[in-house]
Amino acid sequence: MILRIFAVLVFAFAAPISAQTLDTSATAALVVDYDTGAVLLEKNADTPIPPASMSKLMTLNMLFEAIEEGRVDMDDTFPVSANAHGYPGSTMFLETRHDPTVRDLIRGIVVLSGNDACIVVAEHLAGSEGAFASRMTERARELGMDGSTFANATGWPAESHRMSARDLVFLARRMMDEFGEYYPFFAEREFTWNGITQPNRNPLLYSSIAGDGLKTGHTEEAGYGLVGSAVRDGRRIIFMVTGLDSTETRTNESERIAAWAFREFENVTFFDGETPVAQADVWLGEDKQVDLIAGEDIVATLPRGQADEATARVVYDGPVPAPIQAGQHIADLLIETPGVGTMTIPLLARSDVAEGGPMTRIVSSTGLLASRALDNLFGSD
């Protein structure tokens, strides 16, 4: 998890990485490499749009947070109100006589996209769906999801119910990073409740692209959408598409985009986290230089075959005055790749460097005075 956070922080490009151009019929789309956070494709990614049932990821986020905070337990049972039982749209087939557990409700939302299950969760956690939607919006702002506003817990069409593609991909990553214990629910292909077995609507689970989640969505206003994840040869991508005209188009476009992302890009490790990248000069220290390391592996997502075109340089203000502590930010490594941009990685001191004794100060001061004298005579160049 540390490596993923590190890579996301430093791999900050203003535009997607260049590779073979891919056009998509989706009205909004975003494709991101999970390990590095590199954006491979985006289209209207920050525009708030109707998310349909994909917004159920936020409902799940609220429930998972409640579990992690100890406010509810997986074996707790929630009552089913008449409002939940009669809610229109996709359903888990809950009845007021039922007492589903939290585990049942998670599966009802993830696998069956049950609107009734969402209402049960909303009413239990906040008293009403309206209050729950307000809490969802408030929490979205806290998480930095500025493109999201929620009017309900289900994704039912509402003028004020909006999410951006970037926020949906952020939530998908959050499902894995923060709530990985529950992520296997997204790979379940069917769930039986009330004697009725229903399949998971996520086409990635039945595809050759090795998809393992997350959530589909469809309304007349939103069209057909999907926020999904796929893994190939140890590399994961997360993507979102929406505004498509049919389930078939959604399936085909999702498979095409995922195949393109795996085919056209690769993850390249430039440096091992503990291998010295460079050395920095030290002023008035027991050692004259200190090794610089990244602390974490330096990994970048690049168009295939472009790793050899990358150049690197180290930038710092030196010499660095002692004392120096191991892990202290000393310099920055700038890796530049044509058509990609600049990747900036903080470099850290590999070890402590103590202040030198009196003799070190005398020698260093003498050297500095001599250098200044030469500069005055011959110029600083």
Side-chain angles (χ1 to χ4, degrees):
M1 181 174 175
I2 295 175
L3 174 58
R4 290 193 289 271
I5 293 174
F6 172 80
V8 170
L9 287 173
V10 301
F11 214 127
F13 297 143
I17 297 173
S18 299
Q20 180 179 334
T21 302
L22 182 75
D23 293 325
T24 175
S25 57
T27 57
L30 182 66
V31 185
V32 173
D33 184 276
Y34 175 71
D35 289 318
T36 68
V39 175
L40 311 183
L41 171 71
E42 65 176 296
K43 179 180 180 181
N44 299 325
D46 295 305
T47 302
I49 54 177
S53 286
M54 291 182 288
S55 68
K56 288 183 170 80
L57 289 180
M58 191 61 185
T59 300
L60 289 165
N61 176 83
M62 304 299 284
L63 179 55
F64 292 157
E65 287 184 349
I67 296 171
E68 293 297 294
E69 293 167 6
R71 290 185 281 125
V72 299
D73 185 83
M74 291 288 281
D75 295 319
D76 287 350
T77 58
F78 290 0
V80 179
S81 68
N83 178 45
H85 168 64
Y87 207 94
S90 54
T91 180
M92 179 179 166
F93 292 105
L94 287 169
E95 299 180 11
T96 54
R97 63 183 175 86
H98 292 155
D99 290 304
T101 65
V102 170
R103 182 179 288 100
D104 294 329
L105 292 167
I106 291 172
R107 299 174 77 186
I109 297 171
V110 171
V111 183
L112 308 182
S113 197
N115 289 341
D116 49 358
C118 292
I119 300 303
V120 170
V121 169
E123 291 177 342
H124 184 88
L125 293 183
S128 69
E129 184 183 15
F132 186 73
S134 295
R135 291 188 184 181
M136 291 169 70
T137 301
E138 181 181 358
R139 182 62 177 139
R141 295 294 178 272
E142 293 173 352
L143 292 171
M145 297 166 55
D146 296 330
S148 296
T149 304
F150 301 96
N152 54 62
T154 63
W156 195 255
E159 185 176 350
S160 59
H161 194 86
R162 295 291 185 267
M163 295 186 75
S164 68
R166 201 175 308 278
D167 286 353
L168 280 163
V169 168
F170 169 84
L171 267 184
R173 178 189 289 277
R174 184 168 171 78
M175 293 295 106
M176 302 172 200
D177 288 349
E178 302 298 329
F179 310 117
E181 176 183 353
Y182 316 114
Y183 188 68
F185 285 118
F186 288 96
E188 292 189 5
R189 295 191 175 190
E190 64 180 26
F191 178 50
T192 300
W193 180 265
N194 201 14
I196 302 169
T197 299
Q198 299 182 74
N200 194 320
R201 296 178 176 86
N202 188 342
L204 299 180
L205 303 182
Y206 316 98
S207 169
S208 61
I209 67 168
D212 60 1
L214 297 158
K215 193 74 192 72
T216 60
H218 169 251
T219 63
E220 184 175 347
E221 178 188 21
Y224 291 85
L226 168 69
V227 54
S229 175
V231 181
R232 179 177 295 176
D233 297 329
R235 180 174 161 233
R236 180 185 293 276
I237 61 164
I238 306 172
F239 65 95
M240 180 274 187
V241 292
T242 194
L244 299 165
D245 60 11
S246 68
T247 56
E248 182 180 7
T249 302
R250 176 175 63 189
T251 298
N252 293 340
E253 193 67 355
S254 297
E255 292 179 344
R256 188 174 74 93
I257 285 176
W260 168 82
F262 286 127
R263 181 182 67 249
E264 297 295 329
F265 299 91
E266 62 181 338
N267 285 351
V268 178
T269 301
F270 285 103
F271 297 99
D272 178 87
E274 296 302 317
T275 299
V277 175
Q279 290 183 320
D281 293 331
V282 177
W283 173 248
L284 299 180
E286 287 187 349
D287 300 315
K288 293 182 179 181
Q289 292 182 315
V290 62
D291 288 339
L292 303 179
I293 61 173
E296 302 292 341
D297 292 354
I298 300 173
V299 182
T301 302
L302 301 175
R304 289 194 180 275
Q306 288 196 14
D308 291 341
E309 300 178 26
T311 59
R313 56 193 175 97
V314 176
V315 178
Y316 74 103
D317 293 328
V320 183
I324 295 172
Q325 294 183 336
Q328 181 178 330
H329 181 190
I330 301 295
D332 289 318
L333 174 67
L334 277 57
I335 299 177
E336 300 171 339
T337 307
V340 175
T342 300
M343 185 179 182
T344 302
I345 302 97
L347 294 181
L348 316 175
R350 188 183 188 188
S351 58
D352 296 336
V353 179
E355 286 184 302
M359 186 57 66
T360 299
R361 294 178 175 275
I362 292 171
V363 171
S364 297
S365 298
T366 301
L368 178 60
L369 290 173
S371 176
R372 287 178 176 174
L374 289 172
D375 286 347
N376 289 333
L377 286 173
F378 303 109
S380 59
D381 290 335

